[in-house]
Amino acid sequence: MVRLPLLRAVLAASVLVASGTAAAAPVRADGKPRPRAVDDLARYVNPFVGTAPGGPDFGHGGGAGNTFPGASAPLGGVQWSPDTVTYQHGGYSYGDNRILGFSLAHISGAGCAAYGNVPFMPTQEAVPPAYATFSHANEQAAPGSYHVTFDNGIGTDLTTTQRSGIARFTYPATDTRPAAVSIDAAKAFTAATGSVDIGTDTLSGYSDSGAFCKSKNRYRLYFHATFDQPFAQGTHPDGKAGAAMVTFAPGVRTVTARVGVSFVDVEGARRNALTEQAGRPYDSVQQAVRADWNTWLNRVTVGGGTDAQRRVFYTALYHALLHPSVFSDTDGRYTGMDGLVHRTRTGHVQYANFSGWDVYRCQVQLLALLAPREASDIAQSVLNQGLQAGYFDRWTLANGGSGVMVGDPLPAIASAIHAFGGTDFDADVLLRTALADRQDDRQRPGHTQYDTLGYVPAGTKGVWGSVSTTLEYAVADYALAQLAHRLGDLTAYNTLLRASGNWRNLFNPATGYLQPRAADGTWPAFTPAQKTEYVEGNGAQYTWMVPQDLPGLFAAMGGDAAVTTRLDTFFTSLNAGASEPYAYLGNEPSFGTPWAYTHVGHPDRADAVVHRALSTLFSDAPAGLVGNDDLGAMSSWAVWASLGLYPEVPGSAQLTRTTPLFTTATVHRGDGTTLTVGSAAPRHSLRQPPKHSLR
């Protein structure tokens, strides 16, 4: 295991080599280094990966990645993508050849419906069509762009900036019917209402929706579309103010629409498109977003491997860089969790859409490694949400919480970002706020029992999965303890570190498992495969989820030999679902378990499991993910695994090592430093967990 010290680019051990600039950078005549060449790595990305089921549906959002193939910028606030008649979370089911429309906002990989607001649909019908059919042979997707030609001959090209998009609709010359476009602000993937104002060449308004995972979450998305052709006619179909259909003059065969979005107001949406597009033609904007994607993808350059492995790798990196989403307007305004309009510091961005339970494990660490500046803004966004809402919600969409999933992941996200060098945020305020909010029922249901008994008892009212919740709180306490130590607050550090050991109160020596416990200290009947008192998993899977103290857990289990035998049995299956006592790598609780082998002297077995997972659970086809991508969580796992590294301990920058998939890999951090992964360096097993990340 290696540690990434803060504010320095020198890594311990021989696993990674760091330098201030890229190795062997060419020098110009004036002595300054030439810009590093940027390869067109976007050619390896297949945005259709995850749009078809790659594994069984275990009841946790389906067996597909739930990704979308449409256009988005890195961390973009607009995801303009097609939606099929057959619904799949993400909006697009690869097995369906019927498109309902192209909506402006999507979430990549969630297990519930979210967004899908304001679908646009080109047509030549007299009324808005129900759908149009197409063939995948006439469909292409790439980072930042999407194209399809319907069977009726109408073509759609989509591309985006961070807060806006351009659509180019082409109509067949052989069909003399007028070109038309319909939009519906009262449509989304969940119940929605909306309003559309029709101008001479503009459509604007808002769409209200929410109810993510049946929660009370609500949001309002504003939009403004400017067309390059005046309307010959504009109507509200069926008299509904939430929808509009516009037609163009006879002979118009190409129509371009520039669309901005905002969560503040229509004027913000208009200004976002105007500022970011600056009147550039479609092709120029499309080339710019592809160049932007290539800049991000080139932050990890690899050598060796097959083309298929590169396609899996760069597609995973692409999916890991879609979220969180830019939420503030170009002028810094955004609507906060309190419903009020706020403004970011000049030059900074507010982000939204935090799949906390999923991404705290390894996705935000990857973002912070590659982009500490943007990651700092993400951490500040977490803090802003907590201050405005009065607590840190676990899963936030737009400017509202949902209470979905368990644990206390958002402070852990900020701590992990800080550990990896994203320190430009109010870390002291975040620590104080997170400490106070540990006693908030909205943030930590069952916190009273957790703080007094040292665990959440089975059957606690308002708690989903007492064992999972206890373990998640302990992990979050450890992550926050690391932040406290880095900030010099040793009192908070010691308090949180003690709490991070609460996993011990659920370890039953008689069975060797972490299992439900009654409030009186007794142990209810238990089987390793039981799902009762666990969240999207079972007793066998959650028993390994003590990343902050694996040596302590393994000592309690009986030592290295006993643990090795149990791990061998556990990995009999890699994606068994929640009903079998084996690994479930299609879901987050099992993510870190393959690296447990490195703690018992068997890095070779960790290699075998990780490489078997990469080769059998991931592919470069639409069915290339066996479970929800969860805003890049699963894809980031594949990126780390391919690099032969894993951020095993939340809140720290410790990296556990396995053999990399590629011969060489170099990380360009976006701050002028590089890290090179070498496959020839010796492995090291960590025998005692460090209590903090070193500066």
Side-chain angles (χ1 to χ4, degrees):
M1 183 172 289
V2 294
R3 307 185 188 104
L4 179 64
L6 292 175
L7 307 178
R8 294 189 285 147
V10 180
L11 286 159
S14 56
V15 178
L16 300 177
V17 179
S19 61
T21 58
V27 178
R28 304 187 311 193
D30 60 5
K32 296 181 180 179
R34 295 184 185 276
R36 183 171 56 86
V38 175
D39 190 7
D40 183 33
L41 297 177
R43 71 188 187 276
Y44 291 114
V45 174
N46 180 4
F48 292 105
V49 168
T51 60
D57 182 355
F58 293 119
H60 303 136
N66 294 347
T67 56
F68 61 83
S72 176
L75 306 179
V78 173
Q79 308 84 25
W80 208 347
S81 187
D83 303 318
T84 54
V85 173
T86 300
Y87 177 75
Q88 181 172 291
H89 299 318
Y92 183 94
S93 175
Y94 192 82
D96 194 355
N97 71 332
R98 301 165 298 169
I99 288 177
L100 292 164
F102 305 92
S103 57
L104 295 172
H106 293 77
I107 286 288
S108 181
C112 293
Y115 290 141
N117 300 81
V118 198
F120 282 63
M121 188 64 168
T123 184
Q124 291 181 281
E125 304 292 336
V127 296
Y131 60 82
T133 60
F134 74 103
S135 167
H136 290 304
N138 298 319
E139 182 185 38
Q140 296 89 41
S145 64
Y146 172 86
H147 167 81
V148 68
T149 298
F150 293 148
D151 294 339
N152 61 20
I154 297 175
T156 297
D157 291 277
L158 305 173
T159 193
T160 58
T161 66
Q162 284 198 316
R163 302 168 179 85
S164 73
I166 301 183
R168 184 171 60 195
F169 304 117
T170 56
Y171 301 81
T174 55
D175 190 333
T176 59
R177 291 178 298 172
V181 174
S182 70
I183 75 167
D184 196 337
K187 278 189 178 179
F189 297 150
T190 55
T193 58
S195 177
V196 182
D197 293 326
I198 304 173
T200 57
D201 61 356
T202 63
L203 296 173
S204 60
Y206 64 84
S207 180
D208 289 336
S209 191
F212 176 70
C213 282
K214 301 181 180 180
S215 71
K216 296 180 180 179
N217 175 286
R218 300 293 297 174
Y219 63 85
R220 172 170 285 189
L221 174 71
Y222 294 92
F223 65 92
H224 185 280
T226 302
F227 292 80
D228 67 343
Q229 302 286 340
F231 304 147
Q233 184 180 18
T235 62
H236 294 289
D238 299 324
K240 296 178 180 178
M245 185 167 179
V246 296
T247 59
F248 302 91
V252 172
R253 298 294 89 180
T254 301
V255 174
T256 300
R258 301 177 183 271
V259 183
V261 303
S262 168
F263 287 85
V264 179
D265 52 31
V266 168
E267 175 57 25
R270 186 194 70 83
R271 185 168 47 246
N272 286 341
L274 185 65
T275 300
E276 294 187 342
Q277 296 183 21
R280 292 174 295 161
Y282 177 94
D283 289 342
S284 176
V285 175
Q286 187 273 326
Q287 291 164 8
V289 71
R290 187 180 181 100
D292 194 15
W293 270 113
N294 272 319
T295 296
W296 280 81
L297 294 172
N298 271 265
R299 292 190 181 184
V300 186
T301 52
V302 299
T306 66
D307 279 350
Q309 288 171 329
R310 286 172 179 259
R311 286 193 294 270
V312 170
F313 178 79
Y314 282 109
T315 299
L317 182 57
Y318 164 80
H319 280 139
L321 297 174
L322 286 171
H323 299 295
S325 309
V326 167
F327 191 67
S328 52
D329 289 348
T330 53
D331 63 1
R333 295 184 307 152
Y334 67 96
T335 301
M337 300 281 279
D338 53 5
L340 303 177
V341 176
H342 301 263
R343 192 183 296 269
T344 65
R345 293 179 294 158
T346 301
H348 293 267
V349 172
Q350 178 73 14
Y351 290 90
N353 306 324
F354 289 94
S355 175
W357 184 82
D358 309 288
V359 300
Y360 88 83
R361 303 168 199 269
C362 61
Q363 190 259 351
V364 294
Q365 291 88 334
L366 181 62
L367 279 177
L369 179 69
L370 301 183
R373 179 174 64 85
E374 287 84 356
S376 293
D377 279 354
I378 289 169
Q380 184 65 44
S381 299
V382 166
L383 173 58
N384 293 341
Q385 286 190 356
L387 293 173
Q388 293 156 10
Y391 73 104
F392 291 101
D393 195 88
R394 292 177 289 281
W395 215 121
T396 63
L397 184 78
N399 60 312
S402 68
V404 172
M405 304 311 296
V406 297
D408 192 7
L410 262 65
I413 286 173
S415 178
I417 288 172
H418 189 275
F420 275 83
T423 57
D424 187 16
F425 70 99
D426 295 327
D428 289 287
V429 177
L430 186 137
L431 175 62
R432 293 197 302 271
T433 305
L435 284 169
D437 290 348
R438 288 174 76 249
Q439 279 72 51
D440 192 309
D441 288 330
R442 296 170 297 176
Q443 182 167 322
R444 288 198 173 195
H447 68 84
T448 300
Q449 296 91 327
Y450 176 82
D451 291 335
T452 56
L453 297 175
Y455 63 95
V456 179
T460 298
K461 186 178 180 180
V463 171
W464 178 22
S466 62
V467 178
S468 299
T469 297
T470 298
L471 296 179
E472 294 285 1
Y473 288 167
V475 169
D477 283 337
Y478 185 87
L480 204 58
Q482 305 317 296
L483 180 62
H485 191 281
R486 291 191 296 269
L487 297 176
D489 188 340
L490 297 185
T491 299
Y493 167 73
N494 289 325
T495 298
L496 292 163
L497 194 63
R498 283 193 298 272
S500 75
N502 281 342
W503 65 268
R504 294 179 179 274
N505 298 317
L506 294 184
F507 186 84
N508 186 349
T511 64
Y513 285 90
L514 292 166
Q515 62 186 72
R517 194 171 189 178
D520 63 5
T522 59
W523 302 98
F526 167 79
T527 63
Q530 79 174 50
K531 294 183 287 185
T532 303
E533 299 296 344
Y534 299 91
V535 174
E536 296 190 359
N538 58 44
Q541 293 155 3
Y542 268 94
T543 289
W544 304 105
M545 212 195 84
V546 188
Q548 72 274 25
D549 190 12
L550 286 179
L553 173 67
F554 294 170
M557 284 181 166
D560 292 1
V563 169
T564 301
T565 299
R566 288 183 62 170
L567 285 170
D568 290 344
T569 301
F570 185 69
F571 286 113
T572 299
S573 175
L574 295 183
N575 191 43
S579 298
E580 299 291 336
Y582 306 112
Y584 183 11
L585 288 175
N587 210 7
E588 282 74 11
S590 288
F591 271 15
T593 311
W595 285 270
Y597 274 118
T598 65
H599 296 260
V600 292
H602 288 291
D604 56 321
R605 300 192 191 191
D607 288 347
V609 170
V610 169
H611 287 198
R612 181 157 56 102
L614 286 171
S615 64
T616 61
L617 304 184
F618 298 88
S619 79
D620 58 354
L625 292 171
V626 298
N628 302 165
D629 202 38
D630 289 318
L631 283 70
M634 184 171 291
S635 287
S636 62
W637 187 97
V639 172
W640 283 112
S642 298
L643 295 176
L645 301 168
Y646 191 73
E648 189 173 43
V649 184
S652 77
Q654 301 165 46
L655 298 172
T656 302
R657 189 188 178 212
T658 50
T659 300
L661 183 65
F662 299 99
T663 306
T664 61
T666 302
V667 175
H668 308 272
R669 298 201 65 207
D671 62 0
T673 61
T674 62
L675 312 173
T676 301
V677 181
S679 60
R683 279 184 287 260
H684 302 276
S685 294
L686 182 72
R687 308 306 296 173
Q688 294 295 328
K691 295 303 182 184
H692 56 81
S693 293
L694 300 177
R695 280 191 177 274

